[in-house]
Amino acid sequence: MSQWARLRYILDAVHVPDSEAALLDGLMINEGVRVVSFVNAHAYNVSAKDTDFANALTQSDILLRDGSGMKILMKLMGRDPGPNLNGTDLIPQIISRHTKAGHAVALMGTEEPWLSNTADKLRADGAEIAVTEDGFQPEDHYLSALTRTPTRLAVLGMGMPKQERVSMLLRENLDGPLLVINGGAVIDFMGGKVTRAPAWMRGIGIEWVYRLLKEPRRLFRRYIIGNVVFLWRALRLKLGAK
C-alpha cells in the first residue's frame, strides 16, 4: 500500500462522535480489550513513513482527531472534522469516570518524578492506581505487568510509535475487560512536567505554538518542518496523489 493510500485509510478510520458526552459514555462499556488512539498532524506525518504505526492507528477500536491540522485536512477532503478531542483534555475525564465506577487504573509512561506525581494526584482524587511503570521498558514488560495485575483502564504515555505498538500487544494477548488509551504526553501534563497553554491559545488551536516556545530545540523539527510537510501532504491528497 502506498503512503497516500495509507493516509486516506487513516482518514477513513477517524471516528466522529455525536458529542463528547456520547463518546465518554461509550468508553465506559468495556468488552474485551479496546484501544483508543489519537491522530494529530505529527502522527499523520509519522504514519506516512511507518507502516506498522499506520496500521496500529487504523486498527484502533476508536481513532480520534486531535488538533487544528487534522481539522484543516478533513475539511479540505470534504469530511466532517467533528469536535477536537485531544487526549490532554479527554483522558482526565475518562480516568474520572472509571474512578467513580470503582475501576483500577494503570499508568504506563514518562519517568520519575512525573509518573509518581500523576499517580499521587489521581489517588488524591479517589483513584485506585494499581500499576505504575515508566515508559522505557521493553514492550512485553507492560504486558507482563497487566497480566499480573489486571485493571479496567490503562493509560499509555510512552510517545509515538511505541505506545501504539504496546496497545496492539495488549489487545492481542489480554482478555479484558480493559480500555487502553494511547495518551502521548498526558502523564507529563498531569504530573507537572509540561504546562498547558493559556486557554485562549487552546481555544483558537495554537497550543502547539506555546509548546514550541517552551521547547524550541526539541520541537522545532516537529512543528515547523513537520507542519510544512503536513500541509504539503494535505494538498497532495486533495489533488489525488497516488
Side-chain angles (χ1 to χ4, degrees):
M1 181 184 294
S2 73
Q3 69 162 316
W4 303 108
R6 289 200 302 274
L7 292 175
R8 290 189 189 90
Y9 194 52
I10 289 171
L11 278 182
D12 291 338
V14 173
H15 175 65
V16 180
D18 293 333
S19 67
E20 184 175 299
L23 173 67
L24 289 168
D25 288 342
L27 293 179
M28 292 303 297
I29 304 171
N30 279 4
E31 298 175 352
V33 179
R34 293 197 297 161
V35 175
V36 178
S37 299
F38 297 84
V39 57
N40 56 21
H42 175 61
Y44 211 66
N45 281 340
V46 174
S47 66
K49 297 182 177 181
D50 188 329
T51 302
D52 289 340
F53 175 64
N55 289 339
L57 289 181
T58 57
Q59 291 169 17
S60 299
D61 297 278
I62 298 178
L63 180 63
L64 300 172
R65 174 186 75 82
D66 175 3
S68 55
M70 288 299 298
K71 180 179 181 179
I72 291 170
L73 173 58
M74 292 182 75
K75 284 189 171 183
L76 195 64
M77 299 299 289
R79 300 169 188 249
D80 176 14
N84 182 36
L85 296 167
N86 69 83
T88 311
D89 292 324
L90 191 69
I91 293 171
Q93 296 183 67
I94 296 171
I95 294 173
S96 177
R97 287 197 172 209
H98 278 261
T99 295
K100 291 176 181 177
H103 299 163
V105 180
L107 297 175
M108 297 177 156
T110 196
E111 58 189 346
E112 296 297 351
W114 321 114
L115 178 60
S116 292
N117 287 353
T118 301
D120 291 343
K121 177 181 177 181
L122 292 174
R123 288 189 183 104
D125 291 335
E128 178 190 351
I129 306 301
V131 178
T132 57
E133 298 286 348
D134 69 52
F136 302 95
Q137 303 300 321
E139 292 171 15
D140 59 1
H141 177 86
Y142 306 103
L143 172 61
S144 297
L146 286 177
T147 300
R148 292 191 305 270
T149 310
T151 66
R152 290 288 293 270
L153 175 64
V155 178
L156 308 186
M158 307 156 193
M160 302 172 185
K162 182 178 180 178
Q163 63 190 11
E164 285 75 18
R165 293 196 302 265
V166 170
S167 70
M168 293 295 108
L169 181 68
L170 297 178
R171 191 173 65 182
E172 291 166 4
N173 291 279
L174 296 176
D175 295 326
L178 172 64
L179 182 67
V180 181
I181 310 287
N182 286 316
V186 69
I187 302 175
D188 286 331
F189 278 112
M190 296 179 72
K193 180 180 181 181
V194 180
T195 58
R196 295 298 306 274
W200 69 268
M201 296 184 79
R202 302 200 301 268
I204 61 175
I206 60 168
E207 185 168 11
W208 66 272
V209 175
Y210 178 85
R211 293 193 64 193
L212 177 62
L213 292 173
K214 287 286 188 180
E215 299 181 85
R217 181 173 297 180
R218 187 176 75 86
L219 296 177
F220 178 86
R221 185 174 184 84
R222 175 185 298 189
Y223 287 136
I224 301 302
I225 298 175
N227 283 352
V228 172
V229 172
F230 174 81
L231 291 173
W232 173 79
R233 287 194 170 110
L235 290 173
R236 288 290 306 274
L237 279 174
K238 177 65 176 179
L239 296 173
K242 297 180 180 180

